[in-house]
Amino acid sequence: MAETIIKVDLSKSAYENENIHNRWHPDIPMAQMVKPGDDFIIECVDWTGGQIANNDSADDVRDVDLSKVHFLSGPVGVEGAEPGDLLVVDILDIGAFEESQWGFNGFFSKQNGGGFLTEHFPEAQKSIWDFKGMFTSSRHVPGVEFAGLIHPGLIGCLPSKEMLEEWNTREKALFDTDPERTPALATLPYADTAHMGKMTGEAAKAAAAEGARTVPPREHGGNCDIKDLSRGSKVYFPVYVKDAGLSVGDLHFSQGDGEITFCGAIEMAGWIHMRVNLIKGGMAKYGIKNPIFKPSPITPKYDDYLIFEGISVDEEGKQHYLDVHIAYRQACLNAIEYLTKFGYTKAQAYAILGVAPVQGHISGVVDIPNACATLWLPTDIFAFDVNPTSDGPTIELDGSIDVPLSPDK
């Protein structure tokens, strides 16, 4: 059995664990050290650090403190790793804790982060998903069950000091173009809720004031939310500091491409079994500045899809130029509208697109003025036929169940 080198206690605050951090900074001390070729297990709290409960209220999603997230286990140092190397990470296995066989999906209030479709779903909602081995279903979204493709939403190595400064400079410049925007254009350093792992005293305070928030993906990896980084995946991370500093968290039981509800996967606490190796000088050898990966050979087998198209014309009919973001939003909205014809509420349909193994594709970016994006919805996840027929759709749900909503205070 591989050694568990970082353990968590779900009954305690993540702030009490010195092997957890929630900011990126090159000076965070290594929580543990390993050697190339080692395999090991790391335990992770859910990305909010236990702020969300298994109940039928969305108050906790409405009131969640997003300045605290993400809580990451690590950093794990790899002996011999130097800037310019590639850290090779094999994800050998991943799962939920035996005592915590559930996860959550949520829509954040527009006032507190929002989401991809926040103009259509501006208030907080939450669905709970129960795990039954490799499958999941929800008491809040009936008529759907699917196999999970469990993966870490967030994994990456520590940035160098120069890279951290670059992140903060460019994101502050973007933020300053519209500082009153809700949701904000970027999440800037915020020391009050920072947890800097083993750092203490004045050093921790100084690092917390400039530590990068964990919200976006960046050159080092980070919050990429790639659903295919499951068991059997191999990731090549650029190394920017001595010992690399690998951290991981934000585990997902399942997610659709794009994580479109923002709290958009089935979020969970759990463990991940990994092996590490090094390619010395690999960044220059392969011209790599962002991670590359090989996907899992073990994926849920869904091969019948309904594919919804979207183009870069927004809901008000405004024409945009080759805008893939607008096009994918339209594909999602088209799929949501379609599912309502079978009795799903729009919130239930939105949740399905966020958590099920939905595929998102950029289908065209050259045919001016419209980009085309597509959303691939697997039909086998439903307990009834959702394909179009000459008889028209049959209402399968009576509307008595919906995703809990908590209005803004």
Side-chain angles (χ1 to χ4, degrees):
M1 290 290 291
E3 179 185 1
T4 300
I5 63 171
I6 295 179
K7 296 183 178 181
V8 302
D9 185 341
L10 299 184
S11 69
K12 294 182 179 180
S13 168
Y15 286 100
E16 299 178 41
N17 192 326
E18 66 176 7
N19 293 324
I20 288 177
H21 63 101
N22 66 356
R23 299 292 191 270
W24 293 114
H25 195 283
D27 295 338
I28 297 175
M30 301 301 158
Q32 298 288 342
M33 291 295 298
V34 298
K35 298 177 180 179
D38 285 353
D39 70 289
F40 49 87
I41 294 171
I42 292 177
E43 295 181 349
C44 303
V45 298
D46 82 79
W47 74 295
T48 72
Q51 295 185 62
I52 309 301
N54 184 353
N55 59 30
D56 299 321
S57 169
D59 287 359
D60 48 11
V61 170
R62 178 193 62 199
D63 302 332
V64 66
D65 186 347
L66 294 178
S67 74
K68 295 180 178 180
V69 301
H70 300 75
F71 288 101
L72 306 178
S73 294
V76 173
V78 181
E79 292 184 14
E82 299 173 301
D85 294 344
L86 288 178
L87 179 65
V88 186
V89 177
D90 288 287
I91 299 176
L92 303 177
D93 204 358
I94 186 170
F97 292 125
E98 186 63 33
E99 69 275 19
S100 184
Q101 293 289 309
W102 66 279
F104 62 90
N105 172 259
F107 317 157
F108 291 131
S109 164
K110 184 180 179 181
Q111 298 180 14
N112 190 27
F116 188 56
L117 301 180
T118 194
E119 302 301 331
H120 298 268
F121 300 90
E123 295 186 301
Q125 296 187 255
K126 180 180 78 178
S127 57
I128 298 296
W129 295 79
D130 294 307
F131 308 152
K132 303 176 183 67
M134 64 184 294
F135 293 94
T136 187
S137 59
S138 172
R139 61 183 179 267
H140 299 129
V141 187
V144 63
E145 182 180 60
F146 48 86
L149 186 58
I150 308 177
H151 60 279
L154 201 161
I155 183 170
C157 296
L158 293 180
S160 65
K161 182 173 178 59
E162 295 76 17
M163 177 165 284
L164 175 64
E165 291 174 351
E166 179 182 342
W167 292 352
N168 287 339
T169 298
R170 72 192 187 196
E171 290 172 23
K172 179 66 161 54
L174 174 64
F175 179 90
D176 287 345
T177 63
D178 189 0
E180 303 302 319
R181 185 180 187 271
T182 301
L185 286 171
T187 50
L188 304 180
Y190 182 69
D192 290 3
T193 53
H195 180 38
M196 307 304 291
K198 292 183 176 181
M199 295 187 80
T200 59
E202 293 303 314
K205 290 181 181 178
E210 62 183 10
R213 301 283 294 279
T214 60
V215 175
R218 299 184 179 96
E219 289 88 341
H220 69 142
N223 194 26
C224 296
D225 294 309
I226 300 171
K227 76 177 194 308
D228 300 290
L229 290 184
S230 189
R231 55 174 64 91
S233 296
K234 185 187 294 285
V235 195
Y236 301 84
F237 287 104
V239 173
Y240 292 102
V241 301
K242 182 180 180 297
D243 298 331
L246 176 69
S247 295
V248 63
D250 187 26
L251 303 187
H252 297 165
F253 188 85
S254 180
Q255 177 205 300
D257 279 343
E259 200 187 17
I260 63 172
T261 62
F262 186 20
C263 183
I266 300 177
E267 311 284 350
M268 69 177 209
W271 52 269
I272 180 168
H273 182 187
M274 297 185 288
R275 180 175 58 230
V276 295
N277 278 290
L278 291 173
I279 298 177
K280 301 299 294 180
M283 289 179 66
K285 287 176 181 177
Y286 292 100
I288 290 174
K289 68 174 184 178
N290 295 78
I292 62 176
F293 77 96
K294 294 176 68 67
S296 169
I298 304 172
T299 58
K301 186 179 183 298
Y302 295 108
D303 50 19
D304 186 73
Y305 292 89
L306 281 175
I307 301 174
F308 296 87
E309 292 187 20
I311 60 173
S312 47
V313 176
D314 67 24
E315 295 91 307
E316 284 71 45
K318 180 180 178 181
Q319 179 73 63
H320 297 260
Y321 180 76
L322 297 180
D323 192 323
V324 174
H325 183 274
I326 296 292
Y328 194 55
R329 192 170 78 206
Q330 298 312 306
C332 293
L333 290 170
N334 290 339
I336 289 170
E337 182 64 24
Y338 182 90
L339 289 176
T340 64
K341 304 307 180 184
F342 296 88
Y344 284 112
T345 67
K346 289 188 175 183
Q348 289 171 328
Y350 188 25
I352 291 170
L353 301 188
V355 305
V358 166
Q359 295 184 24
H361 293 256
I362 299 173
S363 300
V365 290
V366 296
D367 298 315
I368 61 173
N370 282 330
C372 178
T374 51
L375 181 142
W376 296 44
L377 178 66
T379 60
D380 292 340
I381 69 174
F382 296 96
F384 44 84
D385 186 5
V386 295
N387 290 293
T389 68
S390 58
D391 294 330
T394 300
I395 301 297
E396 300 286 351
L397 306 173
D398 62 12
S400 61
I401 299 173
D402 199 358
V403 177
L405 180 148
S406 291
D408 293 330
K409 291 180 178 178

